[in-house]
Amino acid sequence: MKEGIMNARMRHVIIGLCCLAIAGSIVAWAATGAHAYSRSRDTEIEAANASSDLSDLFGEATPDAAPPPEQVESVNAVGLVPSGPGRESISVLTISAPALVIIVVMLWLDKRTNKHKGTNP
Amino acid sequence: MTLFASDQKTTTSKAHLGNKQWSIIRLAAVVAAAGSILLAGAQPETPGFAQTTPDGKSLVIPADQASMGTAYYTIPDRDRQVFFESNAPLEDIKGQSNKVIGYAIVSPSTPGEIVAGEWHLPVTSMKTGIKKRDGHLASDMWLDAKSFPNIVFHITQTENLRLVKKTASFASYSGTLVGDLFMHGVTHHISIPNATITMLKASPATARVAKGDLMAIRSKFSVSLKDYGVSHPVIGEKVANTVHIDVSLYLSSEPPARQ
């Protein structure tokens, strides 16, 4: 029997890998904070967040002062959508969209091959 | 004779036309000059900002302000100085900067009273955790950092100043900071109530952190982007029109160059 572009086993492996990539991107998104946009670390934010000697000094002087606002995050995070080039381009969307396209193509090839098998036994 | 008279008339007429042309040119020049003056007057008011010091870490205090009291200089590049937050239906944005430079002049007669001061927040120093968004923020669609590189607060007086707490080492005051906020080419006179001003005398404990007598100014206020001429289709959806700002400025009587 003559196979098309690739054999059924290969197609199923590719579909499996694509499903893994989609699942992996969703797990990474959830594990890195479930942000809407992908993020990468920013050294300037980290430096400002790390420095607290002045605020600590005045915090001791004015213990009843309002608490400082929460910090701006500086993290590597996979978002639902990309937010820029480089690391910030890695997102659930940029991984899942091509993977879904590949899955659809593989399924179509599978269906086509099975059809051929049916017509030309 | 008639011909001569006619020629003479023509000559006179030509000379007359020449004078008219000169008059028109002169009138046009006067109108153009007046127009330029009027147009210059119609430009958005740009206050005379203090110049940045050569090292870029502070501002040059104008002589008339320096004589008003004791100068305190903002300590940049250390703790976070400005935190801002936009809570829109589709997205919450948080950002910060620790690149504010400037000074405050404290009254020699009323401790804690800021009688003059100016701070520059470089627009490109505002970080939200997403580099592309930081780029958008500085672009001409938003704060236009190329045309207006700094957000400037020029304080003119402190109102309703009251002592909140005093010990041997520090004194804490509460008051309303009054001044002009310049952003995106627009200036508005604003009052920031409930600002906290804390003065710390130099001591071995403070010397470990920074030289000189120290001062902290903490305040919270909100800014409407539309009031400052910032308009964008996503305002109200992904970016709130009202941005909440939390300021914690730390200053020293020693300029940053000597820190």
Side-chain angles (χ1 to χ4, degrees), chain A residues 37 39-42 44-45 48-49 51-55 57-58 61-62 65 69-72 83-84 88, chain B residues 78-80 83 91 94-96 98 127 129-132 170 172 198 209 214-216 218 238 246 250:
Chain A
Y37 295 98
R39 290 163 173 256
S40 61
R41 290 170 67 178
D42 189 313
E44 282 187 33
I45 293 175
N49 287 345
S51 175
S52 63
D53 47 359
L54 285 161
S55 54
L57 187 68
F58 280 93
T62 52
E70 58 186 291
Q71 292 185 334
V72 175
S83 68
E88 292 178 345
Chain B
R78 299 269 290 268
D79 295 33
R80 177 179 59 193
F83 175 84
E91 198 178 352
K94 296 177 180 68
Q96 66 182 42
N98 67 343
K127 304 290 176 188
I130 295 176
K131 291 180 185 75
K132 194 171 184 185
F170 74 89
S172 189
T198 306
V209 178
L214 303 181
M215 177 185 187
R218 288 171 176 162
K238 291 175 84 177
D246 192 316
Y250 302 101

Side-chain angles (χ1 to χ4, degrees), chain A:
Chain A
M1 184 193 72
K2 191 184 171 187
E3 280 282 354
I5 296 169
M6 58 182 76
N7 64 31
R9 178 182 284 267
M10 182 67 85
R11 284 196 298 270
H12 294 159
V13 167
I14 290 171
I15 288 171
L17 288 174
C18 287
C19 288
L20 270 177
I22 293 169
S25 70
I26 293 168
V27 168
W29 168 72
T32 55
H35 292 283
Y37 295 98
S38 297
R39 290 163 173 256
S40 61
R41 290 170 67 178
D42 189 313
T43 50
E44 282 187 33
I45 293 175
E46 284 179 2
N49 287 345
S51 175
S52 63
D53 47 359
L54 285 161
S55 54
D56 289 347
L57 187 68
F58 280 93
E60 286 167 17
T62 52
D64 52 348
E70 58 186 291
Q71 292 185 334
V72 175
E73 280 185 308
S74 169
V75 290
N76 287 322
V78 176
L80 284 177
V81 289
S83 68
R87 280 184 179 177
E88 292 178 345
S89 67
I90 302 167
S91 69
V92 173
L93 182 72
T94 47
I95 293 169
S96 299
L100 276 172
V101 170
I102 293 168
I103 289 171
V104 168
V105 170
M106 290 299 126
L107 289 174
W108 175 76
L109 283 174
D110 228 19
K111 196 177 173 185
R112 190 165 155 257
T113 311
N114 289 341
K115 203 175 172 184
H116 277 285
K117 273 184 192 169
T119 50
N120 303 312

Side-chain angles (χ1 to χ4, degrees), chain B residues 115-134:
Chain B
V115 291
E118 189 169 310
W119 289 276
H120 292 194
L121 164 64
V123 171
T124 52
S125 74
M126 295 195 288
K127 304 290 176 188
T128 64
I130 295 176
K131 291 180 185 75
K132 194 171 184 185
R133 186 161 62 193
D134 299 342

